[in-house]
Amino acid sequence: MVIALDSNDMKQVEALVSHYEANQNLVSIFLKSMLGYIEESPELKRFAHSVRSRMKDPDHLRDKLCRKMSVAKEKDEPFDITQENLFVRINDLAGIRILHLHTTQMNDINQCIKAIVAEQPIELIEGPAARTWDDEYRSYFRGIGIDTKDSENMYTSVHYVVASTSRTKITCEIQVRTLMEEVWGEVDHSINYPHKTDSVPCREQIRALARQTSSATRLVDAIFATVADLVKKEN
Amino acid sequence: MSGNGSGITNRARAKRITVFNHKGGVGKTTLTYNIAAQLSVLGKRVLLVDSDPQCNLSAYVIDGEVLDYLLDESDSPTGQTVWTSLKPLSEASGTFKLIDPIELSSRLFLLPGDIRVSDFEEELNDFWRECFQRKRKGFAGIVALSELVNEVCSSHDIDFVFYDSGPNIGPLNRIILLDCDFFIIPAACDLFSVRALKTLGRSLYSWISQWRTMIELAPADMDLLPGHPRFLGYLPQSFSVYRGGIVRNQAKYLSLLENSVRADILVALREFDVAIPGASPKLGEVKDFGTLVAASQTEGVPIYEVRTAGTAEQRAAAREAFKEIAEKIIRQTR
């Protein structure tokens, strides 16, 4: 059930979107600085295949705020996002995605991100948390000290939220996932974002694709585990 | 934007002022020195900072041989110029080195300039860029001169600081302006001085707005430049007086100047709250004192104290003009 928003609600949403548009340069500067910190970490470069980034489109922010407001009304809770807390409450206005080849690189990447947080004027305010629906990976992530969350829609990625330690706090979401997970994520995103598809066959096929890409990730992991084992035996 | 903490800790109480115009030949150095000297006569403790790599102010007020010695020694550990202090930043080897100001006369002090400050100025472009990348090194470089001045102000109980600046819109003048509490615009009575105000206003706008963005994102543990200079007024000068009135074509430029100051400075920078409420945009008037200026530069004394040129009346008029300006500055910076 979706509760309709009235004109007052929309006015509130529009004010927040305008506030974002007027201050997009702060988000942009922070995003670029984050990319700079990542770029300058030679360690991270070794493990990351590539890095993508984006700033949230104001239209997508409007959708997100409308959804949140609708949910708040439905649950009869206050909608408490204001101009003062917008840049923290919506923590993916700046977004970075780090792509890598195989799952066991996650431990090293996690160490690199923690080192960046320790060195630069930023703080970790959320995560790392891994979304996963696979028992084997769930235990791997827990084993390297990363919390896990169930993923009903079969989305997989490790998430962090960092914030600038500055007078105005700006946040940035960092997602880390394998290239295979990226394939699934991109297909799902184009079909289900910003609005979920109603087509049953589409939904079914996307769920099936999750199993395909997951097993491809698992195969890549197996290949690298084999290589690691060979290297170990040679030494 | 929201937030707390100004980002400036322990800023000394001295009011920092710059006589700034990117157009050359409008008497910046002469005005700076004479106003500062007059303030010290009025009992204020004044620090002159020669931040112009051309060192005109230092050449004006210290003996040529002494300046030569200072410049020869400035690279050594015992150096005493602004470059000696800022060199560690240029070489990425540390923070600024504290230097002692030269006491020019009772209550008037100078941090001597240096041609090599231009090396530091080159680095400033990188520091500025690094601030936008939220790197601590960039902020450390941008605030170094301000921190040096702050230390000297605290240890010498300074009331007023005057930065002397070169005639350009460069990175050194940018940090000076952003560090200052007040700026004064000197202007000559000619077409180019009027035109220059437009580009001056635009530069100030972009400096202040960029820095204020930076203040919002700067690492919380860094000291910052305040980025809130206020306009103390403009100073028309070098106009000629004939039979008690200003000669006609210059009178025309005087009114153009005032219009331009209102439009290109006060209105253009309105959102940054640069105006001093109730203050006239004109700080004072400095007419052409003829041979006094050149003699003052040769003798290294204020123009109202020269011995080798001009008449007693001229000197008295000059003294009166600068006294009025100095008194007005004391009132308006309270």
Side-chain angles (χ1 to χ4, degrees):
Chain A
M1 182 176 78
V2 177
I3 302 244
L5 302 178
D6 61 29
S7 67
N8 261 342
D9 297 334
M10 283 317 293
K11 228 186 242 171
Q12 214 176 330
V13 167
E14 284 311 318
L16 290 169
V17 174
S18 303
H19 184 65
Y20 171 54
E21 285 175 322
N23 290 284
Q24 250 176 326
N25 65 330
L26 293 179
V27 179
S28 156
I29 292 169
F30 183 54
L31 175 57
K32 281 184 199 144
S33 73
M34 284 300 307
L35 290 169
Y37 305 152
I38 288 172
E39 177 67 24
E40 277 171 28
S41 163
E43 279 282 286
L44 190 49
K45 263 188 172 166
R46 267 179 57 209
F47 303 113
H49 170 273
S50 48
V51 177
R52 303 179 61 192
S53 68
R54 65 104 182 88
M55 288 205 4
K56 201 172 198 70
D57 186 290
D59 288 337
H60 292 165
L61 174 63
R62 184 178 293 107
D63 284 344
K64 188 169 191 164
L65 291 170
C66 287
R67 280 199 302 277
K68 280 182 182 280
M69 188 174 262
S70 180
V71 167
K73 286 191 132 185
E74 191 183 319
K75 295 184 179 166
D76 206 19
E77 286 169 356
F79 176 78
D80 56 1
I81 300 177
T82 62
Q83 295 193 2
E84 284 67 40
N85 65 24
L86 177 71
F87 294 105
V88 178
R89 289 293 303 277
I90 306 295
N91 54 31
D92 68 342
L93 294 173
I96 292 177
R97 191 174 291 155
I98 298 171
L99 303 176
H100 59 110
L101 270 183
H102 59 98
T103 309
T104 47
Q105 288 169 317
M106 192 57 229
N107 189 25
D108 296 310
I109 291 172
N110 186 37
Q111 299 309 320
C112 292
I113 291 175
K114 285 186 168 165
I116 289 172
V117 170
E119 192 187 330
Q120 303 296 351
I122 54 176
E123 58 185 343
L124 186 62
I125 59 172
E126 241 184 80
R131 269 83 166 164
T132 182
W133 48 270
D134 180 301
D135 279 348
E136 191 183 8
Y137 285 134
R138 189 172 293 122
S139 79
Y140 167 73
F141 285 127
R142 286 181 182 164
I144 59 168
I146 293 179
D147 279 348
T148 59
K149 287 184 181 172
D150 292 344
S151 181
E152 197 274 324
N153 70 348
M154 304 191 88
Y155 172 91
T156 55
S157 273
V158 178
H159 281 209
Y160 303 75
V161 177
V162 294
S164 61
T165 49
S166 54
R167 187 152 132 172
T168 297
K169 203 184 269 287
I170 305 288
T171 52
C172 173
E173 185 183 73
I174 303 173
Q175 304 175 350
V176 188
R177 54 164 79 149
T178 66
L179 282 167
M180 296 300 173
E181 290 171 321
E182 174 77 348
V183 170
W184 184 86
E186 288 293 280
V187 172
D188 176 64
H189 187 88
S190 4
I191 304 299
N192 283 323
Y193 198 81
H195 303 290
K196 278 185 187 145
T197 176
D198 293 329
S199 153
V200 172
C202 259
R203 288 211 305 259
E204 283 298 310
Q205 287 167 38
I206 285 171
R207 293 185 77 85
L209 179 64
R211 292 181 185 273
Q212 289 283 317
T213 51
S214 171
S215 65
T217 290
R218 187 64 187 80
L219 180 56
V220 178
D221 289 347
I223 293 167
F224 280 94
T226 310
V227 172
D229 190 49
L230 285 175
V231 171
K232 204 167 135 192
K233 277 180 185 153
E234 274 170 25
N235 293 336
Chain B
M1 299 294 314
S2 62
N4 43 39
S6 64
I8 302 148
T9 50
N10 305 321
R11 186 163 159 104
R13 66 180 177 82
K15 308 285 190 228
R16 305 184 194 184
I17 301 173
T18 182
V19 178
F20 179 58
N21 192 332
H22 62 298
K23 185 183 178 301
V26 290
K28 279 189 292 292
T29 304
T30 309
L31 291 171
T32 298
Y33 174 55
N34 282 281
I35 294 171
Q38 193 53 233
L39 279 165
S40 75
V41 168
L42 293 173
K44 300 298 178 186
R45 297 175 65 82
V46 185
L47 174 68
L48 290 162
V49 183
D50 188 357
S51 34
D52 177 1
Q54 292 186 40
C55 306
N56 291 326
L57 177 62
S58 303
Y60 191 161
V61 297
I62 40 186
D63 184 72
E65 276 176 35
V66 176
L67 183 57
D68 247 3
Y69 173 78
L70 285 171
L71 292 178
D72 282 344
E73 289 294 303
S74 72
D75 246 340
S76 77
T78 55
Q80 285 298 313
T81 73
V82 172
W83 166 247
T84 315
S85 175
L86 299 176
K87 191 178 155 194
L89 280 301
S90 276
E91 294 174 344
S93 62
T95 179
F96 73 92
K97 179 175 181 286
L98 188 58
I99 53 167
D100 255 340
I102 294 175
E103 190 166 356
L104 297 174
S105 60
S106 163
R107 297 185 293 275
L108 187 58
F109 302 86
L110 170 76
L111 289 175
D114 199 313
I115 292 153
R116 270 160 288 194
V117 169
S118 58
D119 289 2
F120 176 72
E121 179 159 25
E122 268 187 51
E123 296 293 323
L124 276 173
N125 277 324
D126 287 339
F127 292 145
W128 186 261
R129 225 177 353 262
E130 284 165 350
C131 286
F132 278 81
Q133 296 162 351
R134 296 191 76 248
K135 290 184 184 160
R136 291 194 179 88
K137 176 171 167 275
F139 288 95
I142 290 294
V143 301
L145 178 60
S146 168
E147 293 193 316
L148 163 67
V149 167
N150 206 51
E151 288 280 321
V152 174
C153 285
S154 297
S155 59
H156 289 72
D157 195 24
I158 297 295
D159 298 301
F160 288 96
V161 173
F162 281 84
Y163 284 105
D164 195 30
S165 55
N168 60 65
I169 295 183
L172 191 52
N173 284 339
R174 180 166 56 195
I175 60 162
I176 289 168
L177 195 104
L178 293 171
D179 189 41
C180 277
D181 303 295
F182 299 95
F183 64 103
I184 295 167
I185 299 179
C189 292
D190 59 46
L191 182 63
F192 289 107
S193 276
V194 175
R195 285 183 167 271
L197 289 178
K198 206 180 247 334
T199 47
L200 183 62
R202 279 198 205 122
S203 301
L204 297 185
Y205 184 93
S206 92
W207 290 351
I208 298 172
S209 66
Q210 285 183 45
W211 184 250
R212 289 199 180 177
T213 300
M214 220 46 263
I215 287 178
E216 297 303 325
L217 285 174
D221 52 355
M222 299 298 302
D223 277 345
L224 299 173
L225 304 177
H228 190 180
R230 280 183 295 164
F231 181 52
L232 253 186
Y234 74 103
L235 273 178
Q237 43 120 36
S238 296
F239 52 81
S240 319
V241 178
Y242 181 69
R243 289 190 178 166
I246 292 162
V247 298
R248 207 156 152 210
N249 68 330
Q250 289 179 342
K252 181 183 89 179
Y253 286 120
L254 272 182
S255 85
L256 284 176
L257 264 181
E258 174 123 359
N259 290 342
S260 179
V261 161
R262 287 186 192 278
D264 300 326
I265 305 296
L266 287 170
V267 174
L269 302 177
R270 197 170 32 196
E271 68 185 89
F272 303 131
D273 197 18
V274 297
I276 298 171
S280 138
K282 186 155 73 182
L283 181 62
E285 283 179 349
V286 182
K287 63 173 190 166
D288 185 359
F289 292 112
T291 54
L292 286 187
V293 174
S296 146
Q297 286 167 5
T298 325
E299 294 180 31
V301 296
I303 61 179
Y304 47 83
E305 276 177 17
V306 298
R307 291 173 297 273
T308 57
T311 64
E313 288 76 28
Q314 281 179 314
R315 284 192 285 273
R319 183 189 303 272
E320 198 47 41
F322 283 109
K323 189 170 173 233
E324 274 178 30
I325 293 168
E327 285 171 343
K328 200 164 172 190
I329 288 175
I330 293 171
R331 281 199 308 276
Q332 294 198 349
T333 58
R334 254 180 213 144

